[in-house]
Amino acid sequence: MGIRRVMAAKLRFARAVSSVLAGVAALALAFPAAAHEVLPTVGLMSRDGDTLRLELRLNAEALVAGIDLDGLTDTNTSDRSAEYDALRLLDPDALSARITQDWPRISDGFVISAEGRDVPLSIDAVEVTEVGDADLARASRVILTGPLPAAADRVSFTWPEGHGTLALRVTGVEKGFADYVDGGERIAAIALTGGDAQSGWRAFVSYIPVGFDHILPKGLDHILFVLGLFFLSPALKPLLWQVSAFTLAHTVTLALGALGWVKVSPAIVEPLIAASIAFIAIENIFSTNLHRWRPVVVFAFGLLHGLGFASVLQDFGLPQDQLIPALLGFNLGVEFGQLTVIALAFLAVGAWFRHKSWYRAAISIPASVLIACVGLYWAVERTFL
């Protein structure tokens, strides 16, 4: 009777772990597949004689709605998400008018200074695209201009708190400044005449957290795919084969996509990524070992995920003088993120239960069923909704 009670307690604990995984899956289902992901603003700064020009490519609806973007990964989590969704349905002229009307508030705390004086910036143009897919954020362009002191060759730059990340670049010169600016951050001196580009090492290091952030916490679909690989078998060898195939594949298409050599519409890539999650999880349910063709399938799916990673880099922008170091840093960050997911899964369940006879029935299969359901839900939503 004592042995039975111990076994029953272990099974109850395993089911409790499965319940936690179910909660994670339920959370994933609660977020739309085309989630309102917070993308960085892209700023292109240049000098034309005594005029400073700054082009901002931004998610204007979020700023008009007054959403605090610092540290935010999804606008659905904001208490202003309803207003944000309503703004995304406005036609271009109406939204352009709102941007112009609200710009004094939006630009509060946004300061560019030269020769000890603030540069007064005014809106030169506002360009808003058509509504299109209402489930996807649209990028608007706000072009600002202002007079520079005749002798000014450097400016200081302050990005307002609450505006999220800005990818700022100086264009039209050789080795122009390129870096990320967080909300509330000030850069003391930016050379308008060039020669201020990142070193290869700095570009490499600065893109590592960008890649990691795209896995944890923003890459829920990639997290579920990696968990699908983890739950095939508690043995280390099958996991290493799969992760190696996945890493090699997404490295290839990440580079090709980020360099602009391969481009596939997200409308095609995103449903296929969701289908890949479902496929891997469903196979886990009916297979106990790593078949010879599974790494090939994982490799093919890795090519898709690499294209998804590449779209993120295109949104952020790459320093043209340091493309390769930035790509390597981003990819390393992605790998750190994936390994962190695997390590957390191992510490949560693998380390304690992987050698138990009931591991597959009580943990692996239930978790795979939940992952498959999420993948199928996303595939349908991304295809038809």
Side-chain angles (χ1 to χ4, degrees):
M1 290 296 293
I3 295 176
R4 290 181 179 178
R5 283 195 297 269
V6 171
M7 290 300 296
K10 289 181 176 180
L11 284 172
R12 284 195 297 271
F13 184 76
R15 292 190 182 105
V17 173
S18 296
S19 298
V20 172
L21 293 169
V24 173
L27 180 63
L29 283 169
F31 286 93
H36 304 9
E37 184 178 353
V38 175
L39 300 176
T41 297
V42 175
L44 304 177
M45 182 186 293
S46 60
R47 177 175 184 166
D48 182 10
D50 292 337
T51 300
L52 180 72
R53 183 181 188 274
L54 179 64
E55 176 184 327
L56 296 175
R57 302 174 184 174
L58 42 75
N59 184 343
E61 292 94 332
L63 296 179
V64 171
I67 294 177
D68 186 345
L69 299 178
D70 291 346
L72 194 69
T73 60
D74 194 308
T75 57
N76 278 337
T77 62
S78 169
D79 58 2
R80 298 178 180 268
S81 62
E83 182 179 354
Y84 170 80
D85 290 341
L87 289 166
R88 290 189 308 119
L89 297 176
L90 291 180
D91 63 66
D93 289 341
L95 180 57
S96 177
R98 282 294 305 272
I99 294 171
T100 303
Q101 172 187 320
D102 290 4
W103 192 253
R105 172 183 58 81
I106 294 172
S107 62
D108 185 31
F110 176 28
V111 180
I112 297 179
S113 301
E115 299 292 320
R117 292 180 294 171
D118 292 348
V119 177
L121 296 174
S122 59
I123 294 180
D124 189 63
V126 176
E127 300 176 6
V128 179
T129 59
E130 296 293 337
V131 175
D133 186 348
D135 285 332
L136 298 175
R138 54 178 166 174
S140 302
R141 293 203 314 161
V142 177
I143 299 174
L144 305 168
T145 57
L148 280 169
D153 60 358
R154 289 181 176 270
V155 297
S156 66
F157 184 95
T158 302
W159 187 236
E161 290 186 9
H163 280 37
T165 301
L166 168 71
L168 179 63
R169 298 198 294 275
V170 174
T171 62
V173 295
E174 292 186 6
K175 297 184 178 180
F177 174 91
D179 208 344
Y180 294 103
V181 186
D182 293 325
E185 183 179 355
R186 179 179 181 271
I187 299 178
I190 298 175
L192 299 176
T193 54
D196 226 4
Q198 287 180 318
S199 66
W201 173 251
R202 185 178 176 187
F204 171 78
V205 171
S206 66
Y207 273 80
I208 291 175
V210 177
F212 186 90
D213 183 64
H214 187 61
I215 299 296
L216 287 172
K218 293 182 179 179
L220 189 54
D221 47 359
H222 303 300
I223 290 173
L224 291 184
F225 186 86
V226 171
L227 288 177
L229 302 183
F230 173 82
F231 282 116
L232 170 67
S233 168
L236 182 61
K237 185 176 180 180
L239 181 60
L240 290 178
W241 270 107
Q242 294 176 93
V243 171
S244 297
F246 183 63
T247 298
L248 177 61
H250 75 61
T251 298
V252 171
T253 47
L254 167 60
L256 294 177
L259 293 173
W261 296 348
V262 174
K263 189 173 182 179
V264 182
S265 170
I268 297 174
V269 173
E270 294 302 320
L272 291 176
I273 288 177
S276 73
I277 296 170
F279 182 93
I280 290 297
I282 291 171
E283 189 186 5
N284 289 350
I285 298 169
F286 298 101
S287 178
T288 58
N289 298 304
L290 179 71
H291 296 297
R292 292 182 179 179
W293 49 268
R294 167 110 169 187
V296 177
V297 173
V298 172
F299 181 88
F301 290 152
L303 295 175
L304 292 171
H305 285 250
L307 292 174
F309 295 141
S311 68
V312 174
L313 270 185
Q314 290 167 356
D315 290 329
F316 270 81
L318 285 167
Q320 296 303 304
D321 294 327
Q322 302 295 348
L323 282 173
I324 301 304
L327 273 173
L328 292 175
F330 181 86
N331 195 61
L332 183 60
V334 168
E335 296 315 308
F336 283 159
Q338 292 175 173
L339 292 175
T340 300
V341 171
I342 291 172
L344 291 174
F346 182 80
L347 291 175
V349 293
W352 310 99
F353 310 119
R354 69 187 190 280
H355 295 307
K356 304 300 182 183
S357 59
W358 40 263
Y359 173 83
R360 176 171 165 76
I363 296 179
S364 181
I365 290 180
S368 296
V369 168
L370 293 168
I371 293 172
C373 289
V374 174
L376 290 172
Y377 173 81
W378 281 348
V380 172
E381 186 185 50
R382 295 177 184 184
T383 301
F384 299 108
L385 301 182

